[in-house]
Amino acid sequence: MKPVTAPTDELRIVGKRYYGRWLSALVVLLCVAGIVQSMVNNPRFEWQVIADNFTEASILQGVLMTLHLTVISVVLGFFFGTLLALMRLSSNPVLSTVSWAYTWFFRGVPMLVQLFLWYNIAALYPTLSFSLPGVGELWSVQSNTLISPFTAAVIALVMHQSAYAAEIVRAGIQSVSNGQIEAARALGYRPAQIFRYTVLPQAMRAILPPAGNEVIGQLKTTAVVSVISLQDVLFSAQIIYQRTYEVIPLLLVATLWYLLMTSVLSVGQYYVERYFSRGVGRREPPALFRVLSRLTGKGSAGESHG
């Protein structure tokens, strides 16, 4: 028996209407528009003052100092953090305990307190020296001469960062299954080769997302160095508004610079993560990338593959 079918001209496809989606989008857009309008039309923001000071020489010097501190603390922090992670995973109880104690202390003490302690280390050790039994003193220096504001900031930032980096690296290494390590041993790899060619490439997929967040967080953490008169972005803004009394506009200048720097780091983090996760699965690009790709008509399919 032949089935009965309706004529094709009587069929009509009706798309599903997402009223809730459109309504919520409209409400959010109205709120955003209201906030933007209030910021643009509020004369107390003093946008001209912000524009005049955004590229002021001392502000740019502060930006360079902030980036300098971030790069040094992140590179050295993750270097020492990797060593601490390997110590923590070691079967040697002394190494494991020392690594745990270091991480416990520097994660438990606020960054600002650590900065003040290193800046005032001369109160505990007025002179730093090195000597050998039977030889005598080989090297000696006054602590105030050695520990400048920049040195104190670098030491505090590196030790603070290394404690957090150690836990990130340790979690990444432990995410690699023992079967992978056993297979590498069966192929005759030495321990260093196992770590370099088997453990590290796979661990990077678990390390990079929290590591990227730590880098961005560390850039913002450098703002605490302003309390010891080290000229970062915030301190440069403070110097200017103490002279001109334009507090809010200068704080907004610092805010915009931090947003710009963290945005650049976020984009870099996305591409680094995509490089190390290629062949694993699908990774959605940041929301801004998806919006721009839709506006240009290119779609987001090409950008969302790792």
Side-chain angles (χ1 to χ4, degrees):
M1 185 175 179
K2 191 173 182 179
V4 179
T5 59
T8 56
D9 56 353
E10 297 180 5
L11 297 178
R12 186 166 61 93
I13 299 175
V14 179
K16 184 177 181 181
R17 294 177 174 85
Y18 298 93
Y19 297 107
R21 178 187 300 177
W22 287 105
L23 179 62
S24 61
L26 179 61
V27 171
V28 171
L29 285 176
L30 289 175
C31 293
V32 172
I35 294 172
V36 172
Q37 183 182 16
S38 69
M39 293 174 63
V40 172
N41 296 328
N42 189 342
R44 295 182 180 86
F45 276 92
E46 301 182 68
W47 292 107
Q48 187 58 48
V49 177
I50 294 174
D52 293 339
N53 289 277
F54 190 74
T55 55
E56 205 272 336
S58 62
I59 295 291
L60 295 179
Q61 290 177 0
V63 171
L64 292 177
M65 176 59 72
T66 298
L67 294 174
H68 193 192
L69 290 172
T70 302
V71 171
I72 293 176
S73 60
V74 167
V75 172
L76 294 181
F78 273 89
F79 173 77
F80 290 117
T82 302
L83 296 180
L84 288 168
L86 296 176
M87 290 171 59
R88 182 74 178 273
L89 296 172
S90 172
S91 57
N92 188 322
V94 175
L95 296 180
S96 179
T97 303
V98 169
S99 175
W100 175 87
Y102 180 98
T103 305
W104 166 77
F105 180 82
F106 284 100
R107 287 202 307 168
V109 179
M111 176 62 205
L112 188 60
V113 176
Q114 296 180 40
L115 183 63
F116 279 133
L117 285 173
W118 284 108
Y119 186 64
N120 296 284
I121 194 66
L124 295 174
Y125 298 97
T127 303
L128 299 176
S129 61
F130 178 76
S131 60
L132 292 175
V135 179
E137 188 175 86
L138 299 177
W139 175 78
S140 177
V141 66
Q142 295 293 321
S143 297
N144 284 328
T145 303
L146 183 64
I147 306 296
S148 64
F150 179 78
T151 306
V154 168
I155 294 174
L157 288 169
V158 169
M159 301 190 81
H160 175 80
Q161 180 64 62
S162 60
Y164 285 89
E167 291 299 287
I168 293 174
V169 175
R170 181 176 68 88
I173 293 174
Q174 289 181 323
S175 68
V176 180
S177 65
N178 289 329
Q180 299 284 333
I181 299 174
E182 293 298 329
R185 287 174 180 167
L187 292 174
Y189 281 24
R190 295 189 296 273
Q193 291 176 317
I194 293 175
F195 180 77
R196 180 179 177 183
Y197 296 111
T198 303
V199 176
L200 189 58
Q202 298 180 67
M204 289 296 289
R205 296 169 186 164
I207 291 173
L208 281 174
N213 292 334
E214 272 299 306
V215 173
I216 294 173
Q218 187 72 350
L219 186 144
K220 295 182 294 181
T221 302
T222 58
V224 302
V225 303
S226 61
V227 300
I228 59 173
S229 301
L230 193 61
Q231 191 177 352
D232 69 326
V233 178
L234 180 58
F235 187 75
S236 299
Q238 289 173 331
I239 291 176
I240 297 175
Y241 74 59
Q242 286 172 1
R243 184 179 70 249
T244 63
Y245 300 103
E246 296 167 331
V247 178
I248 298 300
L250 268 300
L251 288 178
L252 288 175
V253 168
T255 300
L256 291 175
W257 269 113
Y258 280 116
L259 285 173
L260 178 61
M261 290 186 286
T262 55
S263 298
V264 172
L265 289 177
S266 298
V267 173
Q269 177 188 359
Y270 162 70
Y271 281 109
V272 171
E273 289 183 19
R274 189 175 72 167
Y275 174 80
F276 279 96
S277 62
R278 62 192 188 281
V280 175
R282 184 182 180 91
R283 175 176 172 80
E284 286 295 324
L288 179 60
F289 285 19
R290 298 197 297 270
V291 171
L292 292 177
S293 64
R294 289 169 184 169
L295 290 176
T296 56
K298 295 179 180 179
S300 61
E303 285 292 334
S304 61
H305 288 281

mmCIF file of all heavy atoms in Angstrom, residues 77-86 89 162-175 195 199-200 203-204 206-207 210-211:
data_model
loop_
_atom_site.group_PDB
_atom_site.id
_atom_site.type_symbol
_atom_site.label_atom_id
_atom_site.label_comp_id
_atom_site.label_asym_id
_atom_site.label_seq_id
_atom_site.Cartn_x
_atom_site.Cartn_y
_atom_site.Cartn_z
ATOM 1 N N GLY A 77 59.850 32.653 38.446
ATOM 2 C CA GLY A 77 58.881 31.973 39.304
ATOM 3 C C GLY A 77 58.542 30.588 38.798
ATOM 4 O O GLY A 77 58.497 29.626 39.574
ATOM 5 N N PHE A 78 58.319 30.448 37.491
ATOM 6 C CA PHE A 78 57.999 29.129 36.955
ATOM 7 C C PHE A 78 59.242 28.240 36.866
ATOM 8 O O PHE A 78 59.124 27.014 36.936
ATOM 9 C CB PHE A 78 57.323 29.259 35.589
ATOM 10 C CG PHE A 78 55.843 29.422 35.691
ATOM 11 C CD1 PHE A 78 55.278 30.670 35.797
ATOM 12 C CD2 PHE A 78 55.016 28.316 35.721
ATOM 13 C CE1 PHE A 78 53.909 30.828 35.914
ATOM 14 C CE2 PHE A 78 53.644 28.449 35.841
ATOM 15 C CZ PHE A 78 53.084 29.721 35.942
ATOM 16 N N PHE A 79 60.417 28.841 36.734
ATOM 17 C CA PHE A 79 61.638 28.035 36.762
ATOM 18 C C PHE A 79 61.823 27.396 38.141
ATOM 19 O O PHE A 79 61.981 26.172 38.263
ATOM 20 C CB PHE A 79 62.849 28.890 36.420
ATOM 21 C CG PHE A 79 64.165 28.182 36.581
ATOM 22 C CD1 PHE A 79 64.600 27.262 35.638
ATOM 23 C CD2 PHE A 79 64.967 28.431 37.689
ATOM 24 C CE1 PHE A 79 65.812 26.596 35.790
ATOM 25 C CE2 PHE A 79 66.180 27.773 37.849
ATOM 26 C CZ PHE A 79 66.597 26.850 36.900
ATOM 27 N N PHE A 80 61.771 28.216 39.176
ATOM 28 C CA PHE A 80 61.910 27.674 40.532
ATOM 29 C C PHE A 80 60.683 26.853 40.923
ATOM 30 O O PHE A 80 60.799 25.889 41.689
ATOM 31 C CB PHE A 80 62.130 28.807 41.534
ATOM 32 C CG PHE A 80 63.462 29.481 41.409
ATOM 33 C CD1 PHE A 80 63.552 30.820 41.072
ATOM 34 C CD2 PHE A 80 64.644 28.782 41.604
ATOM 35 C CE1 PHE A 80 64.780 31.447 40.942
ATOM 36 C CE2 PHE A 80 65.876 29.396 41.475
ATOM 37 C CZ PHE A 80 65.945 30.733 41.141
ATOM 38 N N GLY A 81 59.514 27.224 40.399
ATOM 39 C CA GLY A 81 58.322 26.435 40.691
ATOM 40 C C GLY A 81 58.409 25.027 40.128
ATOM 41 O O GLY A 81 57.948 24.069 40.754
ATOM 42 N N THR A 82 59.012 24.900 38.940
ATOM 43 C CA THR A 82 59.210 23.563 38.366
ATOM 44 C C THR A 82 60.150 22.734 39.228
ATOM 45 O O THR A 82 59.905 21.541 39.469
ATOM 46 C CB THR A 82 59.764 23.678 36.943
ATOM 47 O OG1 THR A 82 58.861 24.454 36.143
ATOM 48 C CG2 THR A 82 59.942 22.307 36.308
ATOM 49 N N LEU A 83 61.225 23.359 39.708
ATOM 50 C CA LEU A 83 62.138 22.642 40.608
ATOM 51 C C LEU A 83 61.436 22.218 41.890
ATOM 52 O O LEU A 83 61.609 21.094 42.372
ATOM 53 C CB LEU A 83 63.343 23.528 40.940
ATOM 54 C CG LEU A 83 64.266 23.905 39.782
ATOM 55 C CD1 LEU A 83 65.412 24.794 40.287
ATOM 56 C CD2 LEU A 83 64.834 22.651 39.120
ATOM 57 N N LEU A 84 60.606 23.120 42.431
ATOM 58 C CA LEU A 84 59.859 22.780 43.646
ATOM 59 C C LEU A 84 58.863 21.656 43.393
ATOM 60 O O LEU A 84 58.665 20.786 44.257
ATOM 61 C CB LEU A 84 59.133 24.021 44.166
ATOM 62 C CG LEU A 84 59.999 25.110 44.797
ATOM 63 C CD1 LEU A 84 59.190 26.383 44.986
ATOM 64 C CD2 LEU A 84 60.569 24.640 46.135
ATOM 65 N N ALA A 85 58.240 21.648 42.221
ATOM 66 C CA ALA A 85 57.287 20.582 41.900
ATOM 67 C C ALA A 85 57.992 19.235 41.804
ATOM 68 O O ALA A 85 57.485 18.216 42.296
ATOM 69 C CB ALA A 85 56.573 20.917 40.584
ATOM 70 N N LEU A 86 59.171 19.226 41.163
ATOM 71 C CA LEU A 86 59.931 17.976 41.072
ATOM 72 C C LEU A 86 60.396 17.510 42.446
ATOM 73 O O LEU A 86 60.419 16.313 42.740
ATOM 74 C CB LEU A 86 61.123 18.166 40.133
ATOM 75 C CG LEU A 86 60.768 18.466 38.663
ATOM 76 C CD1 LEU A 86 62.036 18.729 37.858
ATOM 77 C CD2 LEU A 86 59.975 17.316 38.057
ATOM 78 N N LEU A 89 57.456 15.899 44.209
ATOM 79 C CA LEU A 89 57.137 14.571 43.677
ATOM 80 C C LEU A 89 58.248 13.569 43.903
ATOM 81 O O LEU A 89 58.098 12.398 43.552
ATOM 82 C CB LEU A 89 56.839 14.685 42.176
ATOM 83 C CG LEU A 89 55.611 15.519 41.801
ATOM 84 C CD1 LEU A 89 55.534 15.715 40.297
ATOM 85 C CD2 LEU A 89 54.334 14.878 42.327
ATOM 86 N N SER A 162 56.682 31.530 42.575
ATOM 87 C CA SER A 162 57.194 30.165 42.512
ATOM 88 C C SER A 162 56.373 29.206 43.369
ATOM 89 O O SER A 162 56.230 28.030 43.018
ATOM 90 C CB SER A 162 58.661 30.133 42.940
ATOM 91 O OG SER A 162 58.813 30.599 44.272
ATOM 92 N N ALA A 163 55.817 29.698 44.481
ATOM 93 C CA ALA A 163 54.994 28.834 45.323
ATOM 94 C C ALA A 163 53.728 28.397 44.595
ATOM 95 O O ALA A 163 53.325 27.229 44.648
ATOM 96 C CB ALA A 163 54.637 29.556 46.621
ATOM 97 N N TYR A 164 53.089 29.327 43.902
ATOM 98 C CA TYR A 164 51.881 28.980 43.146
ATOM 99 C C TYR A 164 52.222 28.181 41.894
ATOM 100 O O TYR A 164 51.494 27.251 41.516
ATOM 101 C CB TYR A 164 51.115 30.252 42.774
ATOM 102 C CG TYR A 164 50.372 30.861 43.929
ATOM 103 C CD1 TYR A 164 50.981 31.797 44.755
ATOM 104 C CD2 TYR A 164 49.060 30.484 44.210
ATOM 105 C CE1 TYR A 164 50.305 32.354 45.831
ATOM 106 C CE2 TYR A 164 48.376 31.035 45.279
ATOM 107 C CZ TYR A 164 48.998 31.970 46.086
ATOM 108 O OH TYR A 164 48.327 32.511 47.158
ATOM 109 N N ALA A 165 53.326 28.545 41.231
ATOM 110 C CA ALA A 165 53.730 27.815 40.035
ATOM 111 C C ALA A 165 54.053 26.362 40.361
ATOM 112 O O ALA A 165 53.810 25.466 39.542
ATOM 113 C CB ALA A 165 54.933 28.496 39.382
ATOM 114 N N ALA A 166 54.608 26.110 41.539
ATOM 115 C CA ALA A 166 54.953 24.747 41.928
ATOM 116 C C ALA A 166 53.713 23.856 41.960
ATOM 117 O O ALA A 166 53.737 22.710 41.491
ATOM 118 C CB ALA A 166 55.636 24.746 43.297
ATOM 119 N N GLU A 167 52.620 24.378 42.489
ATOM 120 C CA GLU A 167 51.396 23.584 42.549
ATOM 121 C C GLU A 167 50.787 23.377 41.165
ATOM 122 O O GLU A 167 50.232 22.319 40.867
ATOM 123 C CB GLU A 167 50.383 24.276 43.473
ATOM 124 C CG GLU A 167 50.790 24.257 44.935
ATOM 125 C CD GLU A 167 50.917 22.842 45.450
ATOM 126 O OE1 GLU A 167 49.895 22.170 45.657
ATOM 127 O OE2 GLU A 167 52.073 22.380 45.635
ATOM 128 N N ILE A 168 50.892 24.391 40.305
ATOM 129 C CA ILE A 168 50.366 24.255 38.947
ATOM 130 C C ILE A 168 51.145 23.192 38.178
ATOM 131 O O ILE A 168 50.568 22.325 37.517
ATOM 132 C CB ILE A 168 50.430 25.612 38.226
ATOM 133 C CG1 ILE A 168 49.460 26.600 38.875
ATOM 134 C CG2 ILE A 168 50.117 25.454 36.746
ATOM 135 C CD1 ILE A 168 49.564 28.004 38.330
ATOM 136 N N VAL A 169 52.475 23.261 38.260
ATOM 137 C CA VAL A 169 53.314 22.298 37.544
ATOM 138 C C VAL A 169 53.129 20.898 38.121
ATOM 139 O O VAL A 169 53.053 19.905 37.378
ATOM 140 C CB VAL A 169 54.787 22.723 37.600
ATOM 141 C CG1 VAL A 169 55.687 21.662 36.970
ATOM 142 C CG2 VAL A 169 54.982 24.059 36.885
ATOM 143 N N ARG A 170 53.043 20.797 39.437
ATOM 144 C CA ARG A 170 52.856 19.484 40.062
ATOM 145 C C ARG A 170 51.545 18.842 39.602
ATOM 146 O O ARG A 170 51.503 17.646 39.270
ATOM 147 C CB ARG A 170 52.855 19.622 41.584
ATOM 148 C CG ARG A 170 52.686 18.307 42.326
ATOM 149 C CD ARG A 170 52.804 18.516 43.818
ATOM 150 N NE ARG A 170 51.688 19.282 44.347
ATOM 151 C CZ ARG A 170 50.540 18.750 44.767
ATOM 152 N NH1 ARG A 170 50.351 17.438 44.690
ATOM 153 N NH2 ARG A 170 49.590 19.511 45.242
ATOM 154 N N ALA A 171 50.473 19.633 39.565
ATOM 155 C CA ALA A 171 49.188 19.092 39.110
ATOM 156 C C ALA A 171 49.259 18.671 37.644
ATOM 157 O O ALA A 171 48.677 17.647 37.258
ATOM 158 C CB ALA A 171 48.090 20.141 39.304
ATOM 159 N N GLY A 172 49.981 19.442 36.827
ATOM 160 C CA GLY A 172 50.113 19.078 35.421
ATOM 161 C C GLY A 172 50.882 17.781 35.231
ATOM 162 O O GLY A 172 50.510 16.937 34.405
ATOM 163 N N ILE A 173 51.962 17.613 35.989
ATOM 164 C CA ILE A 173 52.755 16.387 35.878
ATOM 165 C C ILE A 173 51.947 15.177 36.342
ATOM 166 O O ILE A 173 51.972 14.113 35.719
ATOM 167 C CB ILE A 173 54.051 16.525 36.691
ATOM 168 C CG1 ILE A 173 54.968 17.581 36.065
ATOM 169 C CG2 ILE A 173 54.787 15.190 36.792
ATOM 170 C CD1 ILE A 173 56.214 17.888 36.868
ATOM 171 N N GLN A 174 51.198 15.350 37.414
ATOM 172 C CA GLN A 174 50.410 14.238 37.929
ATOM 173 C C GLN A 174 49.223 13.889 37.031
ATOM 174 O O GLN A 174 48.641 12.816 37.182
ATOM 175 C CB GLN A 174 49.914 14.562 39.337
ATOM 176 C CG GLN A 174 51.021 14.550 40.380
ATOM 177 C CD GLN A 174 50.505 14.851 41.774
ATOM 178 O OE1 GLN A 174 49.607 15.665 41.951
ATOM 179 N NE2 GLN A 174 51.089 14.202 42.775
ATOM 180 N N SER A 175 48.868 14.781 36.107
ATOM 181 C CA SER A 175 47.771 14.488 35.192
ATOM 182 C C SER A 175 48.168 13.479 34.112
ATOM 183 O O SER A 175 47.297 12.923 33.436
ATOM 184 C CB SER A 175 47.280 15.775 34.524
ATOM 185 O OG SER A 175 48.257 16.303 33.637
ATOM 186 N N PHE A 195 60.889 12.796 30.973
ATOM 187 C CA PHE A 195 60.276 14.065 31.380
ATOM 188 C C PHE A 195 60.141 15.010 30.197
ATOM 189 O O PHE A 195 59.103 15.673 30.018
ATOM 190 C CB PHE A 195 61.120 14.713 32.479
ATOM 191 C CG PHE A 195 60.565 16.031 32.952
ATOM 192 C CD1 PHE A 195 59.477 16.074 33.800
ATOM 193 C CD2 PHE A 195 61.133 17.231 32.537
ATOM 194 C CE1 PHE A 195 58.955 17.294 34.233
ATOM 195 C CE2 PHE A 195 60.621 18.447 32.962
ATOM 196 C CZ PHE A 195 59.529 18.474 33.813
ATOM 197 N N VAL A 199 56.395 13.313 29.460
ATOM 198 C CA VAL A 199 55.611 13.948 30.520
ATOM 199 C C VAL A 199 55.292 15.403 30.195
ATOM 200 O O VAL A 199 54.129 15.831 30.240
ATOM 201 C CB VAL A 199 56.352 13.838 31.866
ATOM 202 C CG1 VAL A 199 55.586 14.589 32.952
ATOM 203 C CG2 VAL A 199 56.535 12.382 32.252
ATOM 204 N N LEU A 200 56.321 16.180 29.857
ATOM 205 C CA LEU A 200 56.131 17.616 29.698
ATOM 206 C C LEU A 200 55.143 17.992 28.594
ATOM 207 O O LEU A 200 54.266 18.837 28.812
ATOM 208 C CB LEU A 200 57.486 18.291 29.465
ATOM 209 C CG LEU A 200 57.483 19.824 29.501
ATOM 210 C CD1 LEU A 200 56.962 20.318 30.848
ATOM 211 C CD2 LEU A 200 58.877 20.375 29.241
ATOM 212 N N ALA A 203 51.740 17.240 29.946
ATOM 213 C CA ALA A 203 51.428 18.042 31.125
ATOM 214 C C ALA A 203 51.122 19.490 30.767
ATOM 215 O O ALA A 203 50.360 20.161 31.470
ATOM 216 C CB ALA A 203 52.593 17.984 32.119
ATOM 217 N N MET A 204 51.701 19.974 29.667
ATOM 218 C CA MET A 204 51.494 21.371 29.290
ATOM 219 C C MET A 204 50.027 21.683 29.039
ATOM 220 O O MET A 204 49.570 22.801 29.278
ATOM 221 C CB MET A 204 52.312 21.699 28.039
ATOM 222 C CG MET A 204 53.808 21.773 28.278
ATOM 223 S SD MET A 204 54.280 23.108 29.399
ATOM 224 C CE MET A 204 53.965 24.525 28.367
ATOM 225 N N ALA A 206 47.532 20.618 30.714
ATOM 226 C CA ALA A 206 46.907 20.887 32.011
ATOM 227 C C ALA A 206 47.535 22.080 32.705
ATOM 228 O O ALA A 206 46.888 22.735 33.535
ATOM 229 C CB ALA A 206 47.027 19.645 32.908
ATOM 230 N N ILE A 207 48.784 22.394 32.372
ATOM 231 C CA ILE A 207 49.497 23.486 33.043
ATOM 232 C C ILE A 207 49.103 24.844 32.482
ATOM 233 O O ILE A 207 48.944 25.820 33.230
ATOM 234 C CB ILE A 207 51.019 23.275 32.923
ATOM 235 C CG1 ILE A 207 51.461 22.076 33.766
ATOM 236 C CG2 ILE A 207 51.785 24.523 33.341
ATOM 237 C CD1 ILE A 207 52.923 21.696 33.570
ATOM 238 N N PRO A 210 45.784 27.286 33.919
ATOM 239 C CA PRO A 210 46.039 27.994 35.185
ATOM 240 C C PRO A 210 47.303 28.835 35.154
ATOM 241 O O PRO A 210 47.378 29.864 35.828
ATOM 242 C CB PRO A 210 46.153 26.861 36.214
ATOM 243 C CG PRO A 210 46.532 25.659 35.432
ATOM 244 C CD PRO A 210 45.861 25.824 34.101
ATOM 245 N N ALA A 211 48.307 28.419 34.362
ATOM 246 C CA ALA A 211 49.531 29.218 34.258
ATOM 247 C C ALA A 211 49.233 30.556 33.600
ATOM 248 O O ALA A 211 49.772 31.601 34.008
ATOM 249 C CB ALA A 211 50.597 28.459 33.475
#
